[in-house]
Amino acid sequence: MAKQRGRRSQAAAYRERTADGEQENSHFDQTADAQDAIDDESADTKSKDFPTVFYGLVDSEEIEYFKQAESNLNTNAFESDEERAGFIRSILEEARGKELKLVTNQICSKLMERLVLFASGRQLKHIFHQFSNHFAALAHHKYSSHVLETLLVRSAAYIEKELASDYQVEEEEDDNIEDQAIASTTMEGMFIKMLGEFSSHWYAMMLHQYASHVMRLVILILAAKELPSSTMANSTLRSKKSKVARKMIEIKDNEDFNRAFQTPPSFKEELKNVIMEISSKLDTETARSLAIHKVASPVLQLIIKVEGIFDRERAVWHLLFMPEKEGKNPKEEAFVEYLLSDSVGSHFLEALIKNDGARMKYIERLYKLYMKDRVLKLAKRSTTGVYIIQALLLKLKAGEVEYILDQIIPEMSKLISIADNQNIDLGKSIIEASVSRFNYGKDELVKQFFAKFAPNYNAEEPDDTTTELFENVLQLTGSTLGNTRDDWPTAEERRRALFLEKLMEYDYSFVVCSWYNCMAMSSEKFMQMCFHGVFCHVIESALIVQPASVGESKADNISRKKFLNIFMGHIADLACNAYGSHIVDKLWTFTVLLPMYKDRIGSELMADSHKVKESTYGKLVWRNWSMELFVRKKFDWKSLVKTQQQEYYGENEENNEIEKKKTPIQLKMEEIFKKKQKEEQNQQNFKRPNEDYNNSYNKRNKVRGRNR
């Protein structure tokens, strides 16, 4: 039997899940069939409408010349901006008439993109003019599409300058790169003319691997939205794979990226025309198929995000989903189920929930009809449905967030798995949702995390603690810890470390547990953690003292002293290390109220002062610990220690009294006083029948207490 591939295999996986109690729907296969039809149409569009563009070959001598020019721009070894501007002018003169074949050449397209990044406004217009009548073909080309994207971003910035009339000064400075006819044309007009070239190709561009990126950028510019960095992963414009490719060619963005630009009024009408042109070719079945298409889905997300700018009815949204007053619909239910089960579909639905395009009532309807009754089941889908739950936690109202927390928190220990790399982000999202709801369900959530990662930890007898918390969360065995090959920490190690830091930030019991995990390690392994590029941050995060408003218990104070003992004898080595030096810096705060340990650390630094002062990092530690005072003016150094203690307690500026934690007796007396005040207030508010009674009551009161 042939192995199933793609969405057919996902359909089979879906049917397996229905055996767990979820109702199978025949419309699921119809969605998969429609998706296959879209895939076929996409392939057909690329092969027929836009064949490979050929504008001529670049000969070997030209390639060498332009390659060297690109290298010079990359290194940017110019003495001044004027020298670089002159170099760019000479390159553009050499490239005159060859722009189209250069921009479609793998090597020379990088040069063209750098020229666009550094070009003046008038040079941009020249390049824009050379691309006229070829924009559609260039957008569908592997190399020229990237150049076109950069040109569009620079054009958006220049249009904003035109609106502010700043462009005139620039044109007077740069006077002979192109004829006056092009120079006098506004960039707004050139941009609108380009949109005319795209007008009959929008639907095909949605389905094209390269043109879809250009289309997304055009929509963002017309809608005056932020234009994301071309090197940032998972942005509105870039996928993770595309980001890696951009970094490999070493082209960095300039200041025009990662910001939004002011646009002329005509752009709103142009945006409407673009969206109307696309939606006119869509019906419900086609729109839903595009939503789960790996290329078209991000474009459709963006269309839904911006359509509210000109269409209050949100026609594209209602092609996908029923009106907010409608109840369950079998076909819509099947479509939502596919979104919750498919990798592309879950990204699509997550984006709809997170962005500001869809109205809140639309999201609430989908949640209540198709997701609320099976929150826990969706959370178990670690590659699809769980991301929808995380998005809903950020979007829904407080009551619904608490409902989701009630469903998930009791099962948290079963849902999350570090070893299988499942639902780590869900754990962080649940913590953040709990904090946003004033630590809702915190005790149970902490209990679940301990049951999962440190089941043998006993807070009453912590001395028996092993390294299970670190092993279970950080997966130290098999990690890059202790490697002598200078391996870079992996992305997974970074995710695990951030998760453990989130746990310590959430509840102090994880901090104390981490102390004892460190104490249970061998001295060598602990130092390896301190010198590790990622795990050192875990040690730093453990160097936290309870604030004075909360107060440190006697047991925690003893545990803190025990934890500090394992640093002794290693202070100088830590101070001279790039990562360990940050830990020593943080020990200054961590040793508050423990002057003896401060003195011991200072003594170790002084004993190896020659070694510490010769190290780049050691010098910083020496300064941050005020070691010159420690060596020469010990009394002044001790004054710094005393000042830190006063700052810890929170010094009262009016009477210079240090606020200390109230004793149980003080708290009890305060409670009795408040209760008495409340009783007296109630008596004063009670309406008595005559004035004589009031007067006699007041007289009785005057002979008691402070008024006696």
Side-chain angles (χ1 to χ4, degrees), residues 337-512:
E337 175 56 35
Y338 196 89
L339 295 180
L340 295 169
S341 309
D342 176 68
S343 57
V344 176
S346 60
H347 277 292
F348 178 78
L349 186 54
E350 181 188 12
L352 295 190
I353 295 171
K354 283 184 175 179
N355 69 39
D356 299 325
R359 291 174 176 169
M360 191 60 208
K361 58 184 178 182
Y362 296 164
I363 303 299
E364 289 177 340
R365 174 185 174 274
L366 294 177
Y367 163 72
K368 291 177 181 178
L369 289 180
Y370 305 118
M371 290 175 263
K372 184 173 182 177
D373 294 338
R374 52 199 187 108
V375 165
L376 190 57
K377 288 184 178 180
L378 294 177
K380 291 178 180 178
R381 300 181 185 177
S382 59
T383 59
T384 54
V386 68
Y387 296 106
I388 310 303
I389 299 301
Q390 290 173 223
L392 289 170
L393 285 171
L394 299 173
K395 196 76 173 180
L396 293 176
K397 295 177 181 177
E400 296 297 345
V401 171
E402 292 177 2
Y403 173 82
I404 294 177
L405 292 176
D406 288 338
Q407 300 297 307
I408 292 180
I409 287 177
E411 301 293 327
M412 198 68 239
S413 61
K414 298 177 183 177
L415 289 173
I416 195 169
S417 173
I418 298 289
D420 298 328
N421 194 23
Q422 290 183 353
N423 292 344
I424 299 176
D425 292 332
L426 175 64
K428 292 171 65 177
S429 297
I430 292 295
I431 290 174
E432 290 168 359
S434 171
V435 171
S436 69
R437 295 305 310 140
F438 311 103
N439 291 330
Y440 183 85
K442 180 176 180 178
D443 293 341
E444 177 63 24
L445 186 55
V446 170
K447 180 180 176 183
Q448 286 289 320
F449 282 131
F450 270 115
K452 179 66 179 181
F453 300 117
N456 299 313
Y457 174 70
N458 184 355
E460 302 299 327
E461 299 178 3
D463 290 324
D464 297 331
T465 302
T466 63
T467 60
E468 62 179 354
L469 177 66
F470 281 5
E471 287 292 342
N472 289 334
V473 178
L474 300 178
Q475 303 279 291
L476 295 181
T477 304
S479 69
T480 59
L481 184 68
N483 283 5
T484 57
R485 296 175 299 175
D486 293 328
D487 287 351
W488 287 99
T490 65
E492 287 306 316
E493 288 172 352
R494 191 171 290 106
R495 287 184 69 206
R496 295 168 193 153
L498 288 172
F499 178 66
L500 183 53
E501 290 172 44
K502 177 66 74 172
L503 290 177
M504 288 191 278
E505 181 185 343
Y506 184 54
D507 190 78
Y508 197 71
S509 57
F510 289 105
V511 174
V512 178

Side-chain angles (χ1 to χ4, degrees), residues 31-91:
T31 308
D33 292 337
Q35 174 59 41
D36 290 339
I38 289 290
D39 287 335
D40 294 339
E41 183 179 350
S42 175
D44 188 59
T45 298
K46 286 189 287 185
S47 62
K48 292 183 180 180
D49 289 355
F50 290 96
T52 303
V53 182
F54 181 71
Y55 291 108
L57 294 173
V58 185
D59 62 46
S60 57
E61 292 182 2
E62 289 178 325
I63 285 180
E64 286 302 318
Y65 172 79
F66 289 121
K67 187 176 180 180
Q68 183 60 43
E70 190 271 334
S71 178
N72 291 338
L73 282 175
N74 184 24
T75 55
N76 199 21
F78 301 102
E79 294 183 358
S80 64
D81 291 341
E82 290 76 14
E83 183 181 345
R84 184 180 66 188
F87 180 76
I88 292 173
R89 276 197 300 269
S90 65
I91 297 298

